[in-house]
Amino acid sequence: MTEYDIIVVGSGPAGSAAATTAARAGLNVAIVDKATFPRDKLCGGLFTGRSQKAMRAIFGQEVTSDLFVTTDHMRFLSRGRVLADIPNAPPVHLTMRRDFDAMLHGEAVKAGAVPYVGQPITELGNSALTLRDGTQLGFRTLIGADGVNSFIARSLFGKPFDPDTIGFGLEIESPRKPECDGAVEIDFDAASWGYGWSFPKRETVTVGVGGINAKNADMKANMSAYVDQTNSDPDQRFKGQYLPFGDYKRKPGRDNILLAGDAAGLVDPITGEGIALAMESGQHAAEAAIKALKQNRPQTAYFHYEKLVKPIQRSIDQAKMWRMIMFPKATEGYFRKAFERGSSLQMKYLELLAGEAEYADLRGALLRRIPKLGWRLLKHRLGFRGPT
Ligand SMILES: Cc1cc2nc3c(=O)[nH]c(=O)nc-3n(C[C@H](O)[C@H](O)[C@H](O)COP(=O)(O)OP(=O)(O)OC[C@H]3O[C@@H](n4cnc5c(N)ncnc54)[C@H](O)[C@@H]3O)c2cc1C
């Protein structure tokens, strides 16, 4: 059996970040993925300034035109009605995950991680795992970066996520039409506790809807309506995938086994951004494992990781407070109106999307709105229908 200091399972943004960090630190690293690269991954591919920063820090890569399209044109809607059309917003980038993830996986291998691709992990023991073809690999520490349906999370906790709180998204790649003006579109009302997106890439437009699964009785119907509204290709088959949407794992790991990215539930519960959080947590997981291995105490890896991953979890908690303005029926009208007026909320949302602001920076704006929102919630609860 071949033995590794660190085995990373999954070579998406989280796993490739972990493997690159660990291999560059000189450790003996394997990266396992059930897919061979390039492979598709259902995703809008919106890449924020936060993602850009993480990619630069971890992989030393910049946003380049072969992998990204950049735009500063954003449009926000409510069931097709334009709330705001902003041609000079802080810029965001768009990528196709097929190409982007292949680049990241290539970086991990270039850094020295040994790839085992094309077969899933089928068994996990205390210090060894088995691949489908029977290959056994030994590890001192293990990083589970195997996505939302994580085998590693299931092995640790019995299930990969909570079905009551998980998000779900549907998407198509619709051919880009000549009249497409390249604006990134977000429709706040295409799904409950979620949104619809239309993200133009070079040849296609990624069109999708997503939100908390339990709050959307018929996501397919939401998607059909959104495809219709955006005049997208009606003949494309919808593809669906779960995505964590605020319900991260309070304890993402145990002893020498750490979870990163979607496997740890780390996705922004408002914007659905997961790429940046995956890269950041993958890097932190590797740093924690490196520290534990240097001290020759692999079982303490989780102890180190818990501290490093806390700020990401805290930012998700802060986003969940903002979500209480945007998503519940009682307050959504307030948010839409404020957004339409071009209030500071609009700018803050744009800065968040672009990765130029963090939820912690917005605490003051939230506190200022609490009295008005509290009154609205109370009226809603009492069924009061007077002027708003
Ligand atoms: C519809 C949708 C739209 C989204 N849009 C955006 C967006 O626009 N911007 C954004 O930032 N985020 C978006 N996200 C979230 C983002 O896609 C994820 O948060 C991100 O991909 C998480 O990265 P990861 O590395 O943790 O997992 P993944 O990218 O899912 O990678 C996991 C890897 O593990 C491998 N794997 C799985 N199981 C096994 C196994 N048993 N054995 C071996 N390998 C295994 C898989 O093949 C895969 O390569 C979206 C998600 C969805 C579902």
Side-chain angles (χ1 to χ4, degrees):
M1 181 165 68
T2 318
E3 304 263 355
Y4 291 93
D5 293 326
I6 303 183
I7 296 185
V8 181
V9 181
S11 192
S16 294
T20 303
T21 306
R24 286 188 183 164
L27 280 104
N28 180 17
V29 181
I31 185 147
V32 174
D33 201 296
K34 67 178 180 185
T36 52
F37 291 83
R39 58 103 179 89
D40 289 319
K41 156 77 179 89
L42 204 71
C43 183
L46 187 81
F47 196 81
T48 65
R50 182 172 176 178
S51 296
Q52 193 175 0
K53 211 164 127 194
M55 181 173 74
R56 184 181 295 136
I58 299 162
F59 298 96
Q61 295 291 323
E62 295 296 336
V63 166
T64 48
S65 60
D66 54 335
L67 286 181
F68 296 91
V69 170
T70 299
T71 181
D72 55 3
H73 192 176
M74 311 280 273
R75 191 174 295 122
F76 296 92
L77 306 98
S78 169
R79 290 196 186 82
R81 187 173 70 81
V82 176
L83 298 176
D85 186 74
I86 306 156
N88 53 356
V92 292
H93 315 284
L94 300 151
T95 189
M96 296 301 288
R97 288 291 299 272
R98 184 178 175 78
D99 307 322
F100 174 68
D101 287 23
M103 182 275 284
L104 298 186
H105 176 72
E107 287 300 312
V109 175
K110 246 193 268 167
V114 179
Y116 292 84
V117 292
Q119 32 177 338
I121 165 176
T122 51
E123 242 181 273
L124 177 65
N126 286 336
S127 56
L129 57 80
T130 311
L131 303 181
R132 192 172 47 198
D133 70 352
T135 305
Q136 287 200 318
L137 305 172
F139 61 83
R140 297 179 71 209
T141 54
L142 179 81
I143 297 176
D146 48 343
V148 66
N149 295 305
S150 171
F151 179 93
I152 309 297
R154 192 178 297 125
S155 307
L156 288 181
F157 304 118
K159 57 181 182 178
F161 54 75
D162 180 348
D164 293 336
T165 51
I166 194 75
F168 184 70
L170 287 169
E171 268 187 356
I172 59 168
E173 288 297 325
S174 188
R176 183 171 165 153
K177 295 183 178 161
E179 62 269 26
C180 170
D181 65 4
V184 160
E185 285 192 359
I186 289 179
D187 191 310
F188 293 121
D189 294 303
S192 291
W193 287 72
Y195 62 93
W197 59 92
S198 176
F199 293 165
K201 315 277 171 67
R202 207 153 276 129
E203 281 157 22
T204 58
V205 180
T206 309
V207 177
V209 297
I212 294 182
N213 197 36
K215 305 240 185 220
N216 289 275
D218 194 346
M219 196 68 91
K220 266 194 185 159
N222 294 343
M223 181 65 179
S224 297
Y226 190 60
V227 166
D228 209 33
Q229 176 187 307
T230 50
N231 205 11
S232 304
D233 184 354
D235 297 327
Q236 302 253 350
R237 197 173 62 82
F238 302 162
K239 290 185 185 159
Q241 193 177 20
Y242 288 112
L243 76 153
F245 210 51
D247 188 23
Y248 62 82
K249 291 180 179 62
R250 303 268 150 196
K251 291 196 170 294
R254 186 187 294 157
D255 304 331
N256 61 336
I257 302 182
L258 315 175
L259 299 173
D262 277 13
L266 300 172
V267 173
D268 184 302
I270 291 179
T271 62
E273 175 181 24
I275 299 172
L277 288 70
M279 290 190 281
E280 291 169 7
S281 58
Q283 180 187 31
H284 292 327
E287 288 164 347
I290 293 165
K291 199 164 180 185
L293 289 167
K294 274 198 178 141
Q295 296 168 349
N296 206 15
R297 295 167 69 200
Q299 300 295 324
T300 62
Y302 179 69
F303 169 79
H304 300 301
Y305 184 49
E306 202 171 27
K307 288 191 200 121
L308 292 170
V309 83
K310 194 92 217 141
I312 302 178
Q313 295 178 329
R314 212 174 291 130
S315 79
I316 293 177
D317 286 336
Q318 282 158 349
K320 278 162 86 174
M321 287 198 282
W322 273 100
R323 194 157 83 160
M324 295 310 292
I325 302 185
M326 293 178 63
F327 292 155
K329 283 273 165 276
T331 51
E332 63 175 28
Y334 172 86
F335 174 77
R336 310 286 181 274
K337 273 187 203 149
F339 206 89
E340 197 169 9
R341 276 201 315 269
S343 76
S344 59
L345 260 185
Q346 189 194 87
M347 201 20 120
K348 298 289 176 211
Y349 190 85
L350 288 172
E351 287 170 3
L352 272 175
L353 263 192
E356 290 182 1
E358 293 177 18
Y359 289 101
D361 304 333
L362 311 185
R363 202 175 301 139
L366 179 64
L367 289 175
R368 274 197 303 281
R369 286 178 164 84
I370 279 178
K372 222 172 180 177
L373 288 166
W375 174 231
R376 276 183 169 259
L377 282 166
L378 187 67
K379 280 197 300 185
H380 188 78
R381 183 65 48 95
L382 298 175
F384 179 71
R385 292 270 174 272
T388 53

